[in-house]
Amino acid sequence: MAGAADPLLDIRDLSLDFASPGGALHALRDIDVTVPRGRIVGVVGESGCGKSTLASTIIRLLAANARIVSGEILFEGEDLAKASEHRMRELRGARMSMIFQDPMTALNPVRAIGEQMIDIQHRLPGSTADKRRRARDMLATVGIPDPDNRLTAYPHQFSGGMRQRICIAMALLVEPALILADEPTTALDATLEVQIVDLLKELQREQGCSILFVSHHLGTVTELCDDVVVMYAGEVVEAGSVREIFHNPGHPYTQALLRCDPGRIREATRQLPTIPGALPDLADLPRGCIFQNRCPQAHDRCAREAPPRHRVAEGHTASCHLLEQTEEAPA
């Protein structure tokens, strides 16, 4: 990945558990993810694979029963896994921002948009009038018409797409180095989704920030992202550039995801393809490969040994025993 020598975010061997009456749920295990400076990295996978949990762990917005078991979250060289809550409050809304999935619950329904946008600038210098002016300009930047008057409006007076634009504006107001976007287009229709993706691409180019974009929509990731991380049941099973992953998928799970993408189905059908089986129990993980019970190419070794990470191509790796015989020699 370009810029990987000096990454903005470098996650190494990250594991996280949730305590439950039935025992610990191993939600994230040995996660390695790199977000280079000035690039957009997509995180894809089925619902329940750990995408949103990963984003919440980075910014440390976790439930009380969550515990980081091991690993590092190096952001601009600082390990967020060991940072105090006071330090995290300094970083949130300053060096990193988050765009949540549901813009209606992300905004305070009883306060005007302008008030919320001024409040989020509490660390920035300037008077209230200066901050209001910045808020108005940012609303105009994200395509909100008549921004002066709309500052006095409340969240329920905007459409879903407009509310998400406001959330993006709030995330960008503080000029963060990293934006964590947790499925920001899921609640929108297809037309609005395209508009939001185009807007994110344009704003990322203008501000030069990095984005970790969580999504289950492969087409959106293809349009927006530079690099992709594929997650399954709390593990990273494949990572590489968008072009590599989507044209030369190395892991059977990635291949199955792509076969299920409606955008790749060329013949009319009433039945969409699915991946048979279900995610494993995170409280009682199977030995060996995490995908073995759903993989049509699984063999005896898959049940005995967890596969190591293999090099598929330059900057492209996948964890599958089948790649052992075809792994390219390092350049």
Side-chain angles (χ1 to χ4, degrees), residues 30 235 286-290 292 301-310 319-321 324:
D30 303 320
E235 295 182 9
R287 184 182 176 188
C289 176
I290 194 69
Q292 60 178 284
R301 188 181 177 189
C302 300
R304 298 192 311 267
E305 301 175 29
R309 187 176 293 113
H310 292 284
S319 300
C320 180
H321 291 305
E324 193 168 69

Side-chain angles (χ1 to χ4, degrees), residues 15 43 66 75 98 104 114 126 130 138-139 142 149 176 181 190 205 213 230-231 238 243 246 253-254:
S15 295
V43 183
F75 175 67
M98 192 158 186
M104 195 60 196
D130 292 333
M138 187 55 74
L139 284 184
V142 299
N149 289 327
R205 283 195 299 268
F213 185 82
V230 183
M231 291 188 66
E238 188 160 6
R243 178 172 294 277
F246 285 89
Y253 176 62
T254 310

Side-chain angles (χ1 to χ4, degrees), residues 21-32:
L25 298 178
H26 308 296
L28 299 177
R29 299 177 308 284
D30 303 320
I31 299 292
D32 289 333

Side-chain angles (χ1 to χ4, degrees), residues 67-143:
R67 180 173 69 94
I68 295 177
V69 178
S70 62
E72 298 175 313
I73 307 170
L74 299 176
F75 175 67
E76 297 184 321
E78 181 178 358
D79 188 1
L80 303 186
K82 296 180 175 63
S84 66
E85 182 54 34
H86 174 74
R87 177 56 179 156
M88 290 305 303
R89 284 196 297 268
E90 291 179 336
L91 291 171
R92 296 187 199 111
R95 297 303 296 155
M96 59 172 64
S97 296
M98 192 158 186
I99 304 170
F100 294 95
Q101 181 173 341
D102 185 353
M104 195 60 196
T105 57
L107 297 169
N108 188 330
V110 298
R111 301 191 68 216
I113 292 301
E115 294 175 7
Q116 298 183 59
M117 296 184 75
I118 290 170
D119 284 352
I120 205 170
Q121 301 176 66
H122 68 280
R123 294 191 185 92
L124 298 180
S127 64
T128 300
D130 292 333
K131 294 176 181 179
R132 183 180 180 84
R133 202 158 35 244
R134 281 198 289 261
R136 178 201 62 201
D137 292 344
M138 187 55 74
L139 284 184
T141 298
V142 299

Side-chain angles (χ1 to χ4, degrees), residues 89-307:
R89 284 196 297 268
E90 291 179 336
L91 291 171
R92 296 187 199 111
R95 297 303 296 155
M96 59 172 64
S97 296
M98 192 158 186
I99 304 170
F100 294 95
Q101 181 173 341
D102 185 353
M104 195 60 196
T105 57
L107 297 169
N108 188 330
V110 298
R111 301 191 68 216
I113 292 301
E115 294 175 7
Q116 298 183 59
M117 296 184 75
I118 290 170
D119 284 352
I120 205 170
Q121 301 176 66
H122 68 280
R123 294 191 185 92
L124 298 180
S127 64
T128 300
D130 292 333
K131 294 176 181 179
R132 183 180 180 84
R133 202 158 35 244
R134 281 198 289 261
R136 178 201 62 201
D137 292 344
M138 187 55 74
L139 284 184
T141 298
V142 299
I144 301 292
D146 193 15
D148 272 309
N149 289 327
R150 298 302 265 170
L151 283 172
T152 61
Y154 289 81
H156 71 273
Q157 295 175 291
F158 294 86
S159 67
M162 288 296 180
R163 285 196 294 265
Q164 196 60 285
R165 287 172 183 265
I166 291 166
C167 289
I168 293 171
M170 292 176 72
L172 290 168
L173 258 177
V174 294
E175 298 183 2
L178 175 66
I179 293 177
L180 303 166
D182 185 10
E183 303 204 40
T185 61
T186 297
L188 307 178
D189 62 39
T191 301
L192 288 175
E193 183 175 30
V194 170
Q195 293 176 4
I196 294 298
V197 167
D198 289 343
L199 176 63
L200 280 172
K201 287 169 67 174
E202 181 182 348
L203 293 174
Q204 188 272 335
R205 283 195 299 268
E206 290 176 358
Q207 296 209 0
C209 59
S210 299
I211 299 177
L212 186 74
F213 185 82
V214 172
S215 181
H216 63 269
H217 195 308
L218 300 180
T220 302
V221 170
T222 304
E223 290 295 321
L224 177 65
C225 300
D226 302 303
D227 307 302
V228 184
V229 172
V230 183
M231 291 188 66
Y232 178 74
E235 295 182 9
V236 172
V237 296
E238 188 160 6
S241 69
V242 165
R243 178 172 294 277
E244 266 294 318
I245 295 291
F246 285 89
H247 287 84
N248 184 32
H251 197 282
Y253 176 62
T254 310
Q255 295 165 8
L257 278 181
L258 292 173
R259 284 195 297 270
C260 295
D261 181 12
R264 290 173 171 253
I265 299 173
R266 299 295 176 227
E267 298 179 4
T269 178
R270 291 182 176 273
Q271 187 170 359
L272 294 176
T274 60
I275 304 175
L279 290 165
D281 183 357
L282 296 182
D284 185 21
L285 293 167
R287 184 182 176 188
C289 176
I290 194 69
F291 188 58
Q292 60 178 284
N293 65 319
R294 304 175 73 185
C295 180
Q297 303 175 68
H299 51 85
D300 291 344
R301 188 181 177 189
C302 300
R304 298 192 311 267
E305 301 175 29

